[in-house]
Amino acid sequence: MPKEREWLTFYDWARTYGNYFYLSILGQPILVLNTHDVVSDLLEKRSGIYSSRPRLVMAGDLVGFDQAIALMPYSERFRQLRRLIQRELNAKALEKYWPLHEQESRELAKNLISHPTEMQSYIRHYAGSVILKVTYGYQTQPKDDPFLLLAEKVMQAFSMASQPGAWLVDLVPWLRYLPSWSPGAGFQSTAKKWSDLHMQVINGPYDWAMRNQGLPALAKPNFVSTVINQTDADLTEEEQSLLLWSSASLFGGGADTTVAALSSFFLAMALYPGVQQRGYTEIQKVVGKDRLPSVSDRKHLPYVECIMYEVLRWNPVTPLGVPHMLVEADVYEGYHIPAKTIIMPNIWAMLHEPSIFPEPHSFLPERFVGNEAAVKEVSVAFGFGRRACPGVAFAESSMFVAIATALSTVIIANARDMQGKDITREVPYKTGTISHPPAFTCSLTPRDGAELLSIRT
């Protein structure tokens, strides 16, 4: 089992073994899917038996990430949480959050202009601030917000804990019962530390929201308040549990993924200045110089929208998705697939398929212009079937307005690593369930009209 950037190894293996291949690690069967056609046949058309999650002892049993919907097995509890989230995240309901997206995107641009060397920190602040305000009504502190600092540590832990094959205890579950002092049981102290951090993130903002209902500190609208106000009586214990974990699922699903996507955007703009200029020119033509872009401008800014799609495709946030699990034995094209097989969809391979995306390693937003097939294909970045991300519309609104505002206000150039060396277009992304570019800096120069930020924030 490859230990780093597995999606690239699987992509190479597919050339030898085919579009899907089977491997076994210490008796655990794994099926890797490298094309959308195969994924559609199994994870979508047969979603009734392919929608559960594998038991990840480290991430689930020991840390507790399986209590939120990302790693939760497919069950009635999962469906209840998903329904609660979808009710608030459908495209029409999200319009009330557009002003929040716009305000925070302008704060991001202002911060980048004032403190360009802290770009990564402010991207993380933007993503966390949006999702905390939408979910809990919590307004983050401008610097070193305690919930954001906790969330950053927890999302790093999630990415490492949920990586298939990374932990021997996931393949040999009885190892969890080893005494913590015994050789090879160091994972237990790591799990305990991550579990404590996880519960602080789960309970902290939720408890804050419950204490501040009806008080001026609470920003509205927000998910928690909306659910409470839709209930005539006090929430039952079960309803409180559903609200706690659905809000935690929203927070966890929207923070680090947005950070990874926007980091890729800034890196791509520095590496492909022609794309950046074309996006800026479109905004100037459509929006003009007297205001900044809004979410509602998206339908009039097709090239900027294509930049967003290409960010999702170029280096997908979750290159191997989150693994599915087959709950009963199946047969596909004559091959027997045992029950409890872990299914790993290679999203990176699907989004680098040359027949759909020519020159797949280049950042070319124009590939989406008038190409509905390519636009449809890029949706694989958000998962499949009954496990597809319920927050697609929210994520795209947040990404689009941040991208459009940045293009309008700053010139992005000179991507360098932390040793000061120029970054090339063959940049190696980090290993993990959520994959980030390596740490880098850019020069950020204000454009004419950036002074509008002081008016619109």
Side-chain angles (χ1 to χ4, degrees), residues 309-364:
Y309 289 142
E310 185 70 342
V311 168
L312 292 169
R313 186 209 67 82
W314 182 52
N315 279 288
V317 168
T318 53
L320 283 176
V322 180
H324 291 228
M325 188 189 73
L326 176 62
V327 296
E328 62 184 55
D330 193 22
V331 175
Y332 181 64
E333 295 187 343
Y335 292 103
H336 173 75
I337 309 173
K340 297 187 178 180
T341 295
I342 293 175
I343 313 296
M344 300 179 69
N346 191 347
I347 291 172
W348 191 95
M350 296 173 216
L351 294 178
H352 288 74
E353 170 52 51
S355 65
I356 302 172
F357 303 108
E359 299 180 57
H361 301 290
S362 296
F363 192 91
L364 302 172

Side-chain angles (χ1 to χ4, degrees), residues 344-392:
M344 300 179 69
N346 191 347
I347 291 172
W348 191 95
M350 296 173 216
L351 294 178
H352 288 74
E353 170 52 51
S355 65
I356 302 172
F357 303 108
E359 299 180 57
H361 301 290
S362 296
F363 192 91
L364 302 172
E366 53 268 26
R367 71 173 81 248
F368 291 100
V369 177
N371 189 346
E372 289 301 319
V375 172
K376 182 178 180 181
E377 185 72 11
V378 84
S379 67
V380 304
F382 292 100
F384 310 95
R386 303 180 190 186
R387 303 302 303 222
C389 173
V392 174

Side-chain angles (χ1 to χ4, degrees), residues 102-121:
E102 292 157 7
Q103 177 188 355
E104 294 295 336
S105 71
R106 282 145 197 169
E107 286 290 347
L108 170 62
K110 279 176 61 176
N111 288 329
L112 292 178
I113 290 171
S114 302
H115 308 282
T117 59
E118 299 179 47
M119 181 183 69
Q120 298 282 355
S121 174

Side-chain angles (χ1 to χ4, degrees), residues 79-235:
R79 290 189 287 271
Q80 289 175 322
L81 290 173
R82 187 177 175 86
R83 280 195 297 268
L84 194 58
I85 293 171
Q86 285 182 313
R87 190 172 68 193
E88 186 65 9
L89 290 191
N90 68 77
K92 187 64 179 176
L94 283 175
E95 290 185 13
K96 62 178 174 286
Y97 297 118
W98 286 2
L100 184 153
H101 288 299
E102 292 157 7
Q103 177 188 355
E104 294 295 336
S105 71
R106 282 145 197 169
E107 286 290 347
L108 170 62
K110 279 176 61 176
N111 288 329
L112 292 178
I113 290 171
S114 302
H115 308 282
T117 59
E118 299 179 47
M119 181 183 69
Q120 298 282 355
S121 174
Y122 282 114
I123 290 174
R124 189 166 294 281
H125 187 276
Y126 166 77
S129 183
V130 168
I131 199 67
L132 277 168
K133 193 178 290 185
V134 167
T135 305
Y136 303 104
Y138 175 81
Q139 176 62 59
T140 53
Q141 299 175 17
K143 197 78 171 176
D144 296 331
D145 185 89
F147 290 153
L148 288 185
L149 293 175
L150 268 176
E152 181 176 358
K153 294 178 182 178
V154 170
M155 292 314 299
Q156 289 173 350
F158 172 83
S159 190
M160 291 185 285
S162 60
Q163 187 180 344
W167 301 93
L168 187 60
V169 70
D170 288 340
L171 302 171
V172 188
W174 62 261
L175 291 176
R176 66 173 296 190
Y177 299 110
L178 285 175
S180 59
W181 45 263
S182 64
F187 67 89
Q188 292 190 358
S189 60
T190 301
K192 177 65 168 63
K193 179 179 68 176
W194 287 351
S195 178
D196 291 345
L197 286 171
H198 179 224
M199 291 314 299
Q200 289 179 52
V201 167
I202 298 302
N203 291 316
Y206 180 81
D207 290 344
W208 181 93
M210 298 303 285
R211 289 195 307 270
N212 284 276
Q213 291 298 312
L215 299 179
L218 190 82
K220 289 190 175 182
N222 66 75
F223 175 77
V224 170
S225 296
T226 299
V227 173
I228 291 173
N229 293 336
Q230 289 171 347
T231 306
D232 294 332
D234 292 340
L235 296 177

